[in-house]
Amino acid sequence: MSDPLFMEDNLDRSPRVLAPGAVWIPDWLTLAQQSWIVARFHEWRDGPVPIRSAKVRGHEMSVQTVCLGWHWRPYAYSRDAVDVNGNRVLDFPDWMVRLGRRALVRATGDPAAGDDYTPDTALVNFYDADARMGMHQDKDERSLAPVVSLSIGDTCTFRFGNTRTRNKPYQDIALQSGDLFVFGGESRLSYHGVTRMHPATAPKDCGLQHGRINITMRVTGLTD
């Protein structure tokens, strides 16, 4: 079959290193954890800065974003959502710091990997059935600490590329609900994106009836 969900590589749900520093851990979050995080997402999306589609070079993204810790707009961070309503974004939650540290330990196998990791912002993206994310680098941060990415809800086709170009070589994988993806080190500035959503693939008890939530934790390297 040609559908990415049924590509031979995606039938193997074992942890995988896609490139140095880039690790995919399927089924890392339990359904109970996913449902709890979805409940938090519904709290975040209603304010004080509501979820919105950012504009990149004048074009509105198909993905909707709500931020924690620092407000992201293309190419810059600020404490206040100057491009939305001017309100200060919600604080970055302590539980997410702990979760990010656990993610690094799991991805690396090093019990000390998370000791110095203190993410201070999260971009929480919501994808509906038609949303996409073009190939891009996460380079608005001053820090090159790893990015920790969590997926909840519908499956997506995630494309992970190289650090030099948006084009090949790249790998396509099916990120499913509960999956963890970490990229740091040599892969921290790799191009990546979402080429397709697969509606009606979310597990029944994940807390999300449709669409996909993607949480990406980062270290901005910024101070007040």
Side-chain angles (χ1 to χ4, degrees):
M1 297 182 182
S2 59
D3 192 312
L5 282 175
F6 297 98
M7 291 191 301
E8 183 177 353
D9 285 349
N10 289 331
L11 297 178
D12 180 6
R13 298 277 295 161
S14 302
R16 188 187 312 176
V17 177
L18 273 68
V23 184
W24 173 30
I25 308 290
D27 306 315
W28 187 63
L29 292 173
T30 67
L31 284 173
Q33 290 171 325
Q34 294 171 49
S35 180
W36 188 87
I37 292 173
V38 170
R40 305 289 79 71
F41 168 74
H42 289 307
E43 297 169 356
W44 303 332
R45 69 178 299 165
D46 292 332
V49 180
I51 196 167
R52 97 302 188 200
S53 295
K55 288 185 177 181
V56 180
R57 301 186 182 92
H59 298 283
E60 193 172 85
M61 297 173 64
S62 60
V63 172
Q64 295 182 298
T65 305
V66 63
C67 302
L68 306 174
W70 290 85
H71 178 74
W72 175 84
R73 61 189 189 279
Y75 319 117
Y77 283 102
S78 59
R79 289 294 192 188
D80 301 327
V82 296
D83 60 334
V84 183
N85 59 8
N87 288 341
R88 186 182 176 96
V89 299
L90 292 168
D91 291 339
F92 192 85
D94 289 341
W95 64 262
M96 196 174 285
V97 174
R98 298 194 300 271
L99 192 63
R101 289 172 175 171
R102 284 181 51 211
L104 285 190
V105 171
R106 178 65 182 88
T108 63
D110 178 2
D115 290 357
D116 297 323
Y117 186 65
T118 305
D120 61 346
T121 192
L123 275 62
V124 185
N125 294 321
F126 177 76
Y127 292 74
D128 64 18
D130 298 318
R132 305 288 185 272
M133 181 74 76
M135 295 292 280
H136 66 283
Q137 295 171 300
D138 291 347
K139 60 179 182 179
D140 293 336
E141 300 78 28
R142 294 182 183 176
S143 169
L144 291 179
V147 172
V148 171
S149 172
L150 302 172
S151 296
I152 301 174
D154 286 337
T155 298
C156 77
T157 298
F158 176 69
R159 178 164 291 173
F160 191 75
N162 62 83
T163 60
R164 301 176 304 281
T165 172
R166 291 179 172 84
N167 302 316
K168 292 183 177 180
Y170 53 70
Q171 301 176 67
D172 285 349
I173 62 174
L175 286 182
Q176 298 183 17
S177 196
D179 285 5
L180 164 67
F181 193 87
V182 173
F183 57 102
E186 294 179 37
S187 294
R188 174 59 178 78
L189 293 179
S190 294
Y191 284 92
H192 57 283
V194 171
T195 63
R196 181 181 175 187
M197 288 296 301
H198 302 273
T201 53
K204 178 181 178 181
D205 297 324
C206 74
L208 196 64
Q209 294 183 352
H210 62 86
R212 171 180 182 253
I213 295 170
N214 177 227
I215 298 175
T216 58
M217 306 178 209
R218 303 120 183 267
V219 178
T220 64
L222 301 170
T223 61
D224 291 321

